[in-house]
Amino acid sequence: MTDYFSVLSGWLIPIKRAMDEWGIDFNSVLADCGIKTSDFKVPESRISAERVSQLIEYCNHLKKRHDFAITVAENFHPGTFHTLGYAMMASNNLYDAFKRIERYKKVVSNTCSIKIEEGPKVCKLVLTPFLYESTNRPVLSQNSIIIFIATLVKFARECSSHNFKPQEVNLNWSNTGDTFQFLGDFFDCLVNFDQDEISFSCNTTILKEPLLGGNPLITQSHEKMLNEFLSRLDKNDVVQIVKNSIHDMLPLGTPTQTDIAKQIGMSLRNLQRKLSEQDACYRDLLEETRKKLALEYITQSHLSLSEVGYLVGFANIGNFNRAFKRWTNFAPGEYRKDKHLA
């Protein structure tokens, strides 16, 4: 793991709003913390995670308070997460939105991993900060972690018809001197300190209730942009590049591995070698991409089942039906009826 960790410059949107709310001069404080104001004007630029952590601490110290992180979260804007924010807003439900932050978290930052653990009654979102190799110190400060978790909760409150709140929040540090007493007021649930993990849990049923702003057409368009963004972030990520090419070529029929190699300007042998280095198999990537797209297209009632099959590369409706049943244990028409999508 590299010792340079960064976050998307979009985080400066809610940070600036929070600073305005606290009466702090944005430009002068950024200069004091070594952050260029030009970073605020370039949507895809990255900022040192360490600098952002210092900025949060600076604002707390300036006002002799501890809760600047919550003010940042309260000022959430979809642009904070670039295209990912808008894809999340248009998700079918909160669960899908959180799955997108899990899948595309690298767009937002390379400072931690996000994993959703799904249960029949409770879903838990677990955040694991990466460590600096040179010092074994967590990349994210306590306040940076609070901003991330609180921002996801604020997002859920903005999108959901419920007065959303987690069932509980777990943090892996101590609440010395009740420094973090304000967290209970914001999350409106039990906040546990000295835990083995950083996480928050939610009612599964609530997470899977439809959002009023859900729009699969918008999320598909945004995910295409996100996939391209990830490819630009890491040009050596051949798996992501192959997925992007499969996505683009499927409406023309099932692309072979040779087709994909030609599309991305690589020899077939070189492509196979690079996929093997990333423990990936072309057949699995094709299957995964087809399944994901099929499950999104099937929710769009204006598309016939044969059109859905065509869009994911099946010229024969019978082959599509068999593949869909393998993925879901339902025939496409049964799936639509079971999910009340017909």
Side-chain angles (χ1 to χ4, degrees):
M1 181 71 64
T2 177
D3 255 20
Y4 180 74
F5 294 90
S6 64
V7 301
L8 190 68
S9 63
W11 282 106
L12 290 177
I13 299 172
I15 288 174
K16 183 182 186 303
R17 289 178 167 185
M19 291 172 72
D20 291 344
E21 193 172 315
W22 276 32
I24 299 173
D25 184 81
F26 179 70
N27 291 324
S28 63
V29 170
L30 254 63
D32 289 345
C33 294
I35 299 174
K36 299 176 182 177
T37 54
S38 58
D39 290 334
F40 188 55
K41 301 173 183 177
V42 183
E44 292 189 8
S45 64
R46 317 289 291 186
I47 306 172
S48 161
E50 185 75 10
R51 298 282 189 192
V52 174
S53 292
Q54 291 171 0
L55 177 60
I56 306 307
E57 302 299 336
Y58 189 105
C59 292
N60 273 329
H61 180 74
L62 198 63
K63 294 296 183 177
K64 296 181 172 57
R65 291 172 59 174
H66 304 288
D67 58 339
F68 185 71
I70 293 299
T71 309
V72 174
E74 288 281 16
N75 282 279
F76 167 77
H77 182 279
T80 302
F81 293 168
H82 194 267
T83 310
L84 175 57
Y86 297 100
M88 289 171 66
M89 297 285 284
S91 296
N92 289 330
N93 49 51
L94 290 176
Y95 177 81
D96 287 346
F98 287 156
K99 288 297 288 185
R100 286 189 167 89
I101 195 76
E102 177 186 55
R103 189 184 314 140
Y104 294 109
K105 186 209 57 63
K106 192 185 292 187
V107 169
V108 178
S109 79
N110 67 341
T111 59
C112 63
S113 67
I114 295 285
K115 181 175 177 57
I116 296 176
E117 298 177 358
E118 181 182 356
K121 295 184 178 180
V122 176
C123 283
K124 184 165 64 172
L125 188 147
V126 181
L127 183 152
T128 305
F130 295 142
L131 304 176
Y132 288 106
E133 287 182 348
S134 55
T135 62
N136 213 36
R137 175 172 62 88
V139 172
L140 292 175
S141 67
Q142 293 172 359
N143 278 305
S144 294
I145 290 168
I146 291 169
I147 287 178
F148 205 166
I149 294 177
T151 294
L152 293 180
V153 171
K154 174 64 175 178
F155 159 80
R157 288 172 177 165
E158 290 288 318
C159 294
S160 174
S161 58
H162 295 274
N163 182 18
F164 180 87
K165 62 180 179 180
Q167 292 188 339
E168 66 176 9
V169 173
N170 294 313
L171 301 171
N172 66 350
W173 64 81
S174 300
N175 187 19
T176 307
D178 285 338
T179 302
F180 299 100
Q181 187 67 34
F182 59 89
L183 293 180
D185 295 333
F186 174 80
F187 289 117
D188 193 21
C189 71
L190 180 65
V191 179
N192 302 307
F193 294 89
D194 298 307
Q195 302 300 301
D196 294 331
E197 66 180 16
I198 299 164
S199 66
F200 68 87
S201 56
C202 310
N203 181 287
T204 301
T205 300
I206 290 176
L207 285 188
K208 294 197 172 183
E209 288 190 358
L211 296 178
L212 292 176
N215 190 321
L217 289 175
I218 291 176
T219 55
Q220 286 171 24
S221 175
H222 285 155
E223 284 197 353
K224 187 175 188 302
M225 296 170 66
L226 286 166
N227 290 333
E228 292 169 352
F229 189 2
L230 285 180
S231 296
R232 292 197 297 274
L233 280 178
D234 188 355
K235 295 181 180 178
N236 294 318
D237 189 351
V238 175
V239 168
Q240 189 62 54
I241 293 170
V242 168
K243 283 182 178 180
N244 292 351
S245 296
I246 291 173
H247 184 286
D248 291 342
M249 297 179 73
L250 273 175
L252 304 176
T254 305
T256 66
Q257 194 168 187
T258 302
D259 294 332
I260 296 296
K262 184 177 180 181
Q263 173 78 4
I264 64 180
M266 190 178 292
S267 71
L268 177 60
R269 180 174 294 182
N270 195 24
L271 174 59
Q272 291 171 332
R273 179 178 61 80
K274 287 184 176 292
L275 288 176
S276 178
E277 288 172 354
Q278 295 189 27
D279 295 321
C281 164
Y282 177 75
R283 185 175 61 184
D284 291 343
L285 296 179
L286 175 62
E287 183 88 346
E288 177 187 333
T289 304
R290 269 181 157 166
K291 177 182 176 182
K292 177 181 177 297
L293 289 173
L295 290 175
E296 291 177 355
Y297 287 133
I298 205 77
T299 66
Q300 300 174 39
S301 57
H302 68 282
L303 292 175
S304 69
L305 298 179
S306 58
E307 286 174 316
V308 173
Y310 171 80
L311 288 170
V312 295
F314 290 96
N316 183 293
I317 187 65
N319 290 338
F320 170 60
N321 288 341
R322 283 188 288 274
F324 196 90
K325 193 159 189 176
R326 185 174 69 250
W327 297 330
T328 66
N329 292 321
F330 287 96
E334 293 172 343
Y335 185 89
R336 269 188 170 168
K337 289 180 181 177
D338 183 72
K339 302 297 181 182
H340 307 291
L341 301 171

